[in-house]
Amino acid sequence: MLNLLIYLMIFGGSALMVYNIWGFIHFAKYLQAQKMWKRGIRILYMPIALLISFLIGYIIVGVFGKPDIVMASVLLGGSYFVYIIYKFLNSITEQIVESERLDAALLAAEESNRTKSNFMAMVSHEMRTPMNVILGLDTLALNEPDLSPQTEGYLKKIGASARMLLSLINNILDVNRIESGVLTNNPAPFCLQDVLEQMDAIAGTLGSQKNVSYERKSALPDKQRYMGDEVLLKKVLMALLDNAVKYTGAQGSVVFDVREIPQDKDNVQLQFTVSDTGIGIDPDYLPKIFEVFTREDSSSTATQGGSGLGLAVTKKIVEQMGGTITVTSRKNEGSVFTVSVPMQKMEPEAEEVPETQEEGYGLAGRRILLAEDIPENAEIVMDLLDLEDVVCEHAENGKIAVDMFTRSEPGYYDAILMDLRMPEMDGLTATRTIRASAHPGAKSIPIIALTANAFAEDIKESLNAGMNAHLAKPADSDMLYHTLKKFIIRPA
Ligand code: ADP
């Protein structure tokens, strides 16, 4: 009986050793195929030779020797030990191969994202440049005296269609950038009041064009700063306010309510509510409202241009910011969109900018240096500035702008509008050169990027180069005046 057990153990050990030898041969071939073992490949076969000699030893003991139970246990244990080592090596190697494969896939995905986002940046730039010309010339043409009502109507329609096309381009680019992970939340300290004022300027203008009243309610301290992504926040608010005005008829009203909901000592939820008394949304459509390319199928929405992309992008952006968006609506009574985003509260800004008493923008007589290489774009900006009696001097590239500024008397220019892509010297380099120059106004002159590169990354790059603000082309005339006023009109 004992003898049977001893022979079972020895031949069982031998069978396990045969399996181990097969496993090691397989393992060596696998390593070779993965090209993981580049030097001294023969060393991989040495354990196999060793295992074969063990196996021969087992068989000799089993056939010719007088094995006892101790020897049989040692031989079976030895085979089992080699088996465990083989399995262990195999699993470590598989993990290494898998992680290398994932690294390679990640690198390839990052590379393809980069290529895609570079392509998108280029497409965006190329599309915006002609849109800038169309919208700019349209604004100027509308300011011409003695327009016949028919021509004025045509011009307004050209402007509306161009703005719609531009918003479609922006939305398609945004969807792409969200999907490829380029559009991400980049928090930095910002002044909420500035954002709200810009929204007021745009929504107020859109409303007055349609005879829709616009009002903002906010009980927040003026200079309160938060840590958040200002660019994304503006996109979200703009989309909601734009829709609210768009889907509200004459004599209707839009109310924008902003409040802070404290969470703990430093953190709050900022809650933005945009309510309108417009056409409202059908309850059947409401659950689909944030889906891409959906629009309510009704005669009242059909008359309004749109792609059904805006809210889908808005929801994705809000989620990127860690927030939520909800909507309630009643058909023919109005809609309420509520966005809540978490933000960290920062120290309020120390400097107080007093409200200007002047009518309009109060920019008359101010002098701007405009760096822009494309003559049509330069002409449009100069004409827009001329409407507010702003004096504008033109530099055809960054290098000329640097020369003109550094040679100027202190205080001669009130601000610089800087294109980014220019021959000879680009706008970022020109800004850094100006900021580093010995001119007394080098550090204080407001430099505002006026460019077709409108992505969050571009905005950050311009701020890092020392610019004060960033206006995306096509520049909305109100935004242009508003931004100039904000930076130029400061306490003496
Ligand atoms: P669009 O470009 O069509 O406006 P959005 O994604 O911004 O695309 O909106 C999708 C649809 O949601 C709109 O077509 C409209 O039917 C509806 N909608 C959005 N906002 C409002 C609103 N404030 N009032 C009524 N309907 C709205």
Side-chain angles (χ1 to χ4, degrees):
M1 191 60 197
L2 182 66
N3 269 355
L4 180 66
L5 181 65
I6 290 172
Y7 281 106
L8 269 180
M9 285 168 82
I10 290 181
F11 287 107
S14 304
L16 192 53
M17 198 52 99
V18 170
Y19 174 77
N20 288 342
I21 292 168
W22 173 85
F24 265 88
I25 293 174
H26 198 71
F27 182 59
K29 279 190 178 159
Y30 177 69
L31 288 189
Q32 256 178 314
Q34 296 292 330
K35 300 203 169 31
M36 286 180 72
W37 201 296
K38 298 201 177 66
R39 278 177 304 141
I41 200 83
R42 250 178 263 135
I43 208 167
L44 280 176
Y45 289 94
M46 280 165 63
I48 299 166
L50 190 72
L51 297 185
I52 292 174
S53 67
F54 277 152
L55 179 65
I56 294 170
Y58 283 22
I59 294 170
I60 290 173
V61 169
V63 177
F64 304 106
K66 288 197 178 66
D68 58 15
I69 186 75
V70 177
M71 189 182 275
S73 309
V74 169
L75 293 184
L76 181 63
S79 290
Y80 192 60
F81 178 72
V82 174
Y83 171 77
I84 292 173
I85 297 287
Y86 157 62
K87 285 286 173 197
F88 183 64
L89 282 178
N90 219 0
S91 104
I92 290 186
T93 316
E94 269 171 11
Q95 274 180 28
I96 295 174
V97 169
E98 180 62 13
S99 95
E100 283 193 354
R101 197 183 61 75
L102 289 178
D103 282 354
L106 192 70
L107 265 177
E110 278 172 358
E111 181 56 34
S112 111
N113 263 353
R114 237 191 322 273
T115 318
K116 202 167 160 186
S117 75
N118 283 346
F119 173 74
M120 284 300 168
M122 203 184 75
V123 169
S124 148
H125 186 271
E126 295 310 312
M127 286 181 178
R128 276 163 192 273
T129 306
M131 293 304 288
N132 183 36
V133 177
I134 296 172
L135 279 169
L137 291 180
D138 190 63
T139 311
L140 292 173
L142 277 167
N143 274 291
E144 284 291 308
D146 308 326
L147 284 182
S148 75
Q150 200 179 24
T151 311
E152 193 178 330
Y154 292 155
L155 288 173
K156 281 187 173 157
K157 282 187 187 136
I158 292 176
S161 306
R163 263 182 285 277
M164 210 182 91
L165 190 57
L166 186 70
S167 112
L168 183 63
I169 295 169
N170 287 342
N171 282 334
I172 291 177
L173 290 173
D174 280 345
V175 167
N176 245 295
R177 295 170 68 245
I178 289 171
E179 278 169 2
S180 57
V182 186
L183 190 91
T184 48
N185 188 26
N186 291 307
F190 74 98
C191 173
L192 181 63
Q193 186 68 19
D194 292 347
V195 173
L196 299 180
E197 278 172 13
Q198 286 176 26
M199 295 302 117
D200 292 347
I202 299 171
T205 313
L206 289 175
S208 62
Q209 283 164 1
K210 279 190 73 182
N211 203 7
V212 169
S213 75
Y214 167 77
E215 184 196 355
R216 171 160 63 86
K217 293 179 180 163
S218 139
L220 299 176
D222 274 4
K223 288 289 144 190
Q224 181 61 55
R225 293 190 318 148
Y226 298 88
M227 187 76 168
D229 193 320
E230 181 180 354
V231 180
L232 295 189
L233 182 65
K234 278 190 206 162
K235 264 183 191 289
V236 168
L237 299 179
M238 215 36 264
L240 296 183
L241 289 166
D242 189 44
N243 272 350
V245 175
K246 187 158 103 179
Y247 296 110
T248 300
Q251 260 77 54
S253 65
V254 171
V255 177
F256 180 30
D257 184 283
V258 185
R259 60 188 65 197
E260 193 187 88
I261 302 169
Q263 302 292 301
D264 56 42
K265 195 169 125 299
D266 297 323
N267 295 296
V268 296
Q269 285 276 340
L270 282 183
Q271 193 179 71
F272 304 92
T273 311
V274 178
S275 328
D276 64 61
T277 58
I279 60 171
I281 302 159
D282 196 279
D284 288 342
Y285 172 61
L286 211 50
K288 286 188 278 182
I289 195 160
F290 296 112
E291 286 173 21
V292 181
F293 291 123
T294 59
R295 305 196 70 213
E296 189 180 330
D297 193 10
S298 77
S299 53
S300 25
T301 42
T303 53
Q304 297 291 339
S307 61
L309 260 181
L311 286 178
V313 173
T314 303
K315 180 161 198 261
K316 289 204 161 118
I317 296 179
V318 171
E319 285 168 356
Q320 282 270 3
M321 298 171 83
T324 54
I325 177 166
T326 54
V327 52
T328 55
S329 182
R330 270 172 178 272
K331 200 74 192 150
N332 302 322
E333 287 184 22
S335 314
V336 181
F337 284 83
T338 307
V339 167
S340 292
V341 279
M343 291 219 181
Q344 192 189 341
K345 249 178 134 160
M346 310 293 291
E347 287 293 307
E349 247 173 39
E351 187 190 357
E352 281 290 322
V353 180
E355 277 297 303
T356 157
Q357 300 301 314
E358 288 170 77
E359 273 292 302
Y361 291 97
L363 291 168
R366 301 290 179 159
R367 189 178 282 107
I368 305 289
L369 172 58
L370 167 70
E372 167 66 71
D373 59 320
I374 299 174
E376 292 87 344
N377 285 350
E379 199 184 315
I380 289 166
V381 176
M382 286 164 79
D383 287 350
L384 286 176
L385 291 174
D386 192 43
L387 292 177
E388 286 292 312
D389 296 322
V390 177
V391 185
C392 184
E393 294 186 8
H394 178 209
E396 286 83 6
N397 62 49
K399 196 164 180 305
I400 299 176
V402 171
D403 286 346
M404 284 170 74
F405 174 75
T406 47
R407 284 205 214 112
S408 66
E409 289 286 306
Y412 181 76
Y413 292 114
D414 290 292
I416 303 177
L417 287 172
M418 183 78 82
D419 186 20
L420 288 195
R421 289 191 196 191
M422 287 182 288
E424 293 279 332
M425 185 186 276
D426 64 67
L428 294 177
T429 317
T431 303
R432 288 193 201 100
T433 316
I434 288 174
R435 291 287 184 227
S437 73
H439 190 279
K443 302 279 181 293
S444 57
I445 179 103
I447 307 182
I448 297 156
L450 187 62
T451 164
N453 297 32
F455 292 149
E457 307 85 87
D458 304 316
I459 298 177
K460 254 203 287 168
E461 221 180 336
S462 4
L463 297 181
N464 286 343
M467 299 199 185
N468 301 73
H470 187 289
L471 286 173
K473 284 182 199 167
D476 177 273
S477 51
D478 287 318
M479 273 302 275
L480 173 68
Y481 304 146
H482 185 82
T483 311
L484 283 176
K485 174 183 160 184
K486 180 178 153 198
F487 286 99
I488 294 178
I489 304 183
R490 286 174 175 272

